[in-house]
Structures are given as C-alpha cells and as structure tokens.
Amino acid sequence: MGGWTEILPVSLLLLLSSLLLIVALSVAVFLFEFLRKIGCKHSLERSATSDAFFEDPNSLKKVPCPSIFDPAEKYISLIIPAFNEEHRLPGALIETLNYLQQRSASNKSFTYEVIVVDDGSSDKTLKVGFEFVRKYNIDNFRVICLGQNQGKGEAIRKGMLHSRGELLLMLDADGATKITDLEKLESQIFESVEKLKRCNVSSATTTRLIGNLSDYEVAAFGSRAHLEKQALATRKWYRNFLMKGFHLVVLLTAGPGIRDTQCGFKMFTRAAARKLFTNVRLKRWCFDVEIVYLCKRLGIPMIEVSVTWSEIPGSKVRLTSIIHMLFELLLIRLGYGLGIWKIYS
C-alpha cells in the first residue's frame, strides 16, 4: 500500500504536467493562427480596390470615396467614429461645425470636411448623420456606413483612408475634447515640419517638399495626462488600479514617449496617416497603442499635446473592455515581435 501512495502523486503530477503542456501548445497554436489570419486579411485589404462610396441624400447620387493616396483637396479632414451615438453626436457636431465655419469665413484657405463613420449603429445615428449632410452639403460633410459593427479602430481607419485633408484629425463623437484645441495640435505639427525642413534643407527631396505640408510625416496626440491627479482623486479605487495596470502594460508594449495613448483626439499629416492607417491591423480598443508602436517603427515624429477634456456620460468602456484591451496588447507584441505582421513603408 505504501508503494501505491508514493507512485500516485507522481502519476498525477505527470498527468497534470502533460495537460498543462497540451493546453499551452493549444493556446500558442490558436494565437499563431489568429495572428496569421489577421495578417492575411490585412494583406487582402491593402491590395483590394475600394468600391466604397458616400450617399448624397440631396441628389440621391453615390459619390465615390477618395483615397489617402490621392493628392489633398482640403486643408483638414475630421474623422468621427460613431456607434449608437444619436443622442451625443448632434451637440458635438454643431459645436464642431460652428467652429469650422467661423475659421473658414475668416480664412478662405481653411477648407474642411467632416466624415462621420457609422460603425453599424442600431439606433438613429445614421439618420442624424444624413441630416447634417443635407444641411452642410456632401462636399463638407460625409457619412460612411460600415453596415455592421467592426470597432472604433476600423471606423477611424476607413475614415482616414477615404479623406481629402492635408491634416487629418480623429475625434470622438461625444465632444469630450474642446474642438478649438485642434489649433494646439495644428501648431505643434507646423513647428515639427519647420524643424524637418531646416534639418534637411540641403537635400533635393526636401527642396521639393518645402511648400507641401501633406508630404511630411508628423503625428500629434492630444493628451489628458495633465489631468491624471484630478482623475485619480475622483475615480473609484478599483478603476484607478485597472488604469494603472493598463498603463504599465501599454508601456511594456509600445515603450515610453506617449503618456496618454487612449485620448481620442489625434492629428496626422496626410503622409503620416497614409503610412499608419495602411498598416494598422487592430480594429477595436488598442489601435491607438498600435499607432504609437508603428510611429516608432516607421520613424514618424510624435508630439504629445495637453488638451481640454471633460467626461461625458455614456462611456462604452466596461470591465470586459479592459480584458479585450489586454488581449489586443498581447497581439501587438506577438504579431510584430514574431514578424507575423509585416510593416509596409
């Protein structure tokens, strides 16, 4: 009997070790295959000819979508992803369009377009968007309908790839960031472009690019990092714990440089957007982190700019969202780290 009692634990240990090994290998195979499928899908999307279009509710005609590879036709494009935002979107759009119209009236070279990307909403978001197209005409206001929910990252990617601006700004549908703060990002981008001109003024390429803002690669990220102490004081302890943990994982994934990767207020020159959004693979929560990662890998200068931000009721971030974010951060490390995801320059 004594022999059996000694052998049994060893047998159980071997069995458990074998099961753990099988589970680990299964998880590894699943992740590898999942990453490979994302890579294959991305390759198909890059090579596919776009058949997207904007619907004009005034003329009932379909307007072909432009491409990020086309020359710029506007000074600035504003891309707004919207999923079930029928209540918050109108107020944000009115404030944004009032600002854009005022700048356009005082400066004729300030041409703009607003692109709302409806991410498969089940409410009246699409109807709200078309009401603004009727009021402001399709040259200045456009709606892209994704048909089914694909994620904020994918909505922004589609908007960026079909925009016409020299500068491209992504912003949230809730209007949490003050729209006039785009001037802060705009100013920093101009300063960065001037530095690039001075650094490379002797080269023939730069001489050709001196007057062309859209050909320089610069990214400016709105940041709420300066509000962190206030946020820590008002949030529940477990939310602070989750956020601190998430920021640590982001730091390990994308590296130092940008303190607030998740602020939904980011501006890109056309050349930077072309490189970044033809490479982005994540479609949901952590595409922002992937953008920071890609900027570093592609050598695109990044500037972090403090912006005015206020919390608007109706946030869609839940505990399950944090779990999904952590999974996507793992995908970034594995996808690029193992060379499964190629970066196209």
Side-chain angles (χ1 to χ4, degrees):
M1 292 291 290
W4 281 107
T5 57
E6 291 178 5
I7 294 172
L8 188 59
V10 175
S11 302
L12 282 173
L13 185 61
L14 288 172
L15 179 61
L16 287 173
S17 299
S18 300
L19 288 173
L20 287 173
L21 180 61
I22 291 170
V23 169
L25 289 173
S26 299
V27 170
V29 170
F30 167 78
L31 282 173
F32 185 85
E33 183 63 17
F34 189 70
L35 289 164
R36 190 189 66 79
K37 284 182 178 179
I38 292 176
C40 290
K41 186 176 181 181
H42 178 261
S43 297
L44 290 172
E45 288 173 347
R46 280 181 57 86
S47 59
T49 303
S50 175
D51 57 355
F53 57 84
F54 300 106
E55 291 186 12
D56 184 354
N58 291 318
S59 66
L60 301 180
K61 292 181 179 179
K62 294 180 178 180
V63 179
C65 285
S67 168
I68 191 71
F69 292 97
D70 298 334
E73 297 177 20
K74 298 280 187 179
Y75 172 69
I76 191 168
S77 298
L78 280 70
I79 293 89
I80 304 175
F83 175 64
N84 291 341
E85 293 286 1
E86 66 169 306
H87 299 297
R88 300 195 297 181
L89 184 60
L93 287 178
I94 290 169
E95 181 181 349
T96 298
L97 287 159
N98 284 343
Y99 166 78
L100 295 173
Q101 287 183 317
Q102 287 172 10
R103 275 197 69 174
S104 180
S106 61
N107 180 4
K108 298 302 180 185
S109 65
F110 184 84
T111 54
Y112 67 87
E113 67 174 351
V114 175
I115 302 175
V116 171
V117 186
D118 177 60
D119 187 21
S121 299
S122 58
D123 64 357
K124 296 179 181 177
T125 297
L126 192 59
K127 181 181 178 182
V128 169
F130 282 133
E131 286 173 356
F132 277 86
V133 179
R134 291 187 183 94
K135 183 175 180 180
Y136 294 94
N137 76 62
I138 199 163
D139 186 52
N140 290 326
F141 197 101
R142 297 181 164 189
V143 175
I144 296 177
C145 180
L146 298 188
Q148 62 182 16
N149 181 254
Q150 299 183 43
K152 181 180 178 181
E154 179 64 5
I156 290 173
R157 189 184 77 88
K158 284 284 175 61
M160 289 283 177
L161 295 180
H162 296 310
S163 61
R164 296 175 288 167
E166 290 186 85
L167 294 175
L168 291 80
L169 175 72
M170 54 174 269
L171 65 163
D172 291 336
D174 59 6
T177 308
K178 196 169 179 62
I179 187 60
T180 53
D181 278 1
L182 75 81
E183 295 174 24
K184 296 180 182 180
L185 278 64
E186 182 183 9
S187 173
Q188 290 297 314
I189 282 183
F190 271 99
E191 283 187 22
S192 185
V193 167
E194 287 302 315
K195 288 179 183 177
L196 290 173
K197 289 178 182 179
R198 288 194 296 270
C199 289
N200 303 298
V201 72
S202 60
S203 72
T205 303
T206 306
T207 302
R208 179 176 60 83
L209 298 179
I210 277 180
N212 202 340
L213 171 67
S214 62
D215 285 328
Y216 288 92
E217 297 169 2
V218 184
F221 300 155
S223 174
R224 304 158 298 182
H226 61 294
L227 303 171
E228 187 173 0
K229 288 184 179 179
Q230 178 185 346
L232 287 172
T234 56
R235 281 199 303 250
K236 299 289 186 181
W237 69 268
Y238 58 86
R239 289 193 64 190
N240 289 329
F241 177 78
L242 288 171
M243 282 296 106
K244 285 290 184 181
F246 178 73
H247 288 157
L248 176 61
V249 177
V250 168
L251 180 65
L252 294 173
T253 303
I258 300 297
R259 293 171 63 195
D260 181 10
T261 59
Q262 301 309 110
C263 181
F265 202 75
K266 296 180 173 67
M267 184 180 286
F268 310 89
T269 59
R270 191 169 186 82
R274 184 184 303 123
K275 276 193 176 180
L276 293 169
F277 290 96
T278 52
N279 273 296
V280 165
R281 289 167 171 84
L282 296 182
K283 298 181 183 295
R284 295 194 178 274
W285 298 105
C286 284
F287 75 96
D288 304 82
V289 181
E290 188 181 7
I291 287 172
V292 173
Y293 183 90
L294 287 169
C295 280
K296 291 185 176 183
R297 290 289 299 271
L298 291 166
I300 297 173
M302 297 179 291
I303 312 145
E304 190 167 15
V305 185
S306 297
V307 294
T308 307
W309 185 85
S310 55
E311 189 162 352
I312 307 297
S315 171
K316 297 180 176 67
V317 180
R318 303 288 184 268
L319 178 59
T320 52
S321 305
I322 299 292
I323 296 170
H324 197 122
M325 288 176 186
L326 294 174
F327 178 67
E328 289 193 343
L329 291 175
L330 176 63
L331 294 182
I332 293 173
R333 290 301 299 173
L334 293 177
Y336 291 111
L338 297 176
I340 302 171
W341 293 353
K342 305 297 182 183
I343 297 177
Y344 300 90
S345 58

